[in-house]
Amino acid sequence: MKKQGIAFGLVIFILVGLLAGGVTFWFGGPYTAGNVDALKILVTAFSILAGILIAIITAFGDAQYLLEGSWRIASAHRRLKINNIDRASYYSMYIWL
């Protein structure tokens, strides 16, 4: 069995995300504290992101699009569908950058 290494791209992606979140929290905190309009904007943005994610899961995750045949073929095809959903959800995050 092949030994898998560390996914450096994923580690860098997570670290950059955490760093960006920390910087936003540090510098944006005073502007949003007690601001009702800022809360409305955040709720709206996250609601739209959740809707996009649900649409992606609905479009790509439907079981009727699995290949017919044995359970092994369906299982392999299911893995491909899950990879497509993961990839699409990462791309939907880039829309907001």
Side-chain angles (χ1 to χ4, degrees):
M1 179 174 231
K2 183 180 173 184
K3 184 177 180 182
Q4 294 181 348
I6 297 173
F8 288 107
L10 181 61
V11 171
I12 291 171
F13 180 74
I14 290 171
L15 290 177
V16 168
L18 289 173
L19 181 67
V23 168
T24 303
F25 176 76
W26 183 261
F27 291 111
Y31 297 110
T32 59
N35 190 347
V36 177
D37 291 333
L39 180 63
K40 287 180 185 178
I41 291 171
L42 285 173
V43 168
T44 303
F46 280 106
S47 298
I48 291 170
L49 286 173
I52 290 171
L53 184 62
I54 294 299
I56 289 170
I57 290 172
T58 302
F60 291 126
D62 196 1
Q64 75 178 7
Y65 297 116
L66 290 175
L67 295 177
E68 293 191 21
S70 71
W71 64 269
R72 290 181 181 163
I73 294 172
S75 178
H77 196 244
R78 180 183 58 84
R79 282 190 221 109
L80 291 174
K81 287 291 187 180
I82 289 172
N83 289 341
N84 288 342
I85 290 171
D86 289 342
R87 198 173 313 115
S89 64
Y90 289 136
Y91 291 148
S92 70
M93 288 190 302
Y94 292 134
I95 292 171
W96 294 97
L97 295 178

